[in-house]
Amino acid sequence: GYWESRFQETEGVFDWYATYQELAGVFRDYCPPGPGPEVLMVGCGNSALSSEMHDAGFRRIMNIDIASAAVEKMKEQFKHLELEWRTMDATAM
């Protein structure tokens, strides 16, 4: 499909919505970092947001995307972090 092809051809990271730096105030006010909050990153694609959140103190982050190419690339790029990665469709959970 479209997303699988796109991520097979794309290298590096790209944040579609915003970086952690742009969202930090919202997280700080409503969901401060720490070992407790569980985060589900739906449609993670090739975003660096999960790694930035990990660097800020979030520890329980599950990243999902329908494109296995995106999941495999990000899993490899951020293998040094304790992030979980799965190829799945959020509408089929």
Side-chain angles (χ1 to χ4, degrees), residues 4-17:
E4 190 67 31
S5 297
R6 186 182 194 296
F7 289 120
Q8 285 175 350
E9 298 167 5
T10 304
E11 295 299 324
V13 297
F14 179 79
D15 287 292
W16 294 91
Y17 182 65

Side-chain angles (χ1 to χ4, degrees), residues 35-89:
E38 293 182 74
V39 177
L40 176 61
M41 191 69 65
V42 177
C44 62
N46 60 345
S47 171
L49 184 57
S50 292
S51 68
E52 293 169 347
M53 289 177 72
H54 184 275
D55 291 345
F58 291 90
R59 291 295 177 261
R60 300 171 69 190
I61 304 172
M62 168 68 71
N63 299 276
I64 67 170
D65 201 288
I66 59 171
S68 61
V71 171
E72 292 306 314
K73 285 182 178 184
M74 295 297 97
K75 184 177 184 179
E76 177 63 26
Q77 182 165 347
F78 298 116
K79 64 184 173 187
H80 61 286
L81 303 177
E82 295 177 12
L83 302 173
E84 293 185 56
W85 302 89
R86 298 218 180 122
T87 301
M88 67 177 357
D89 183 342

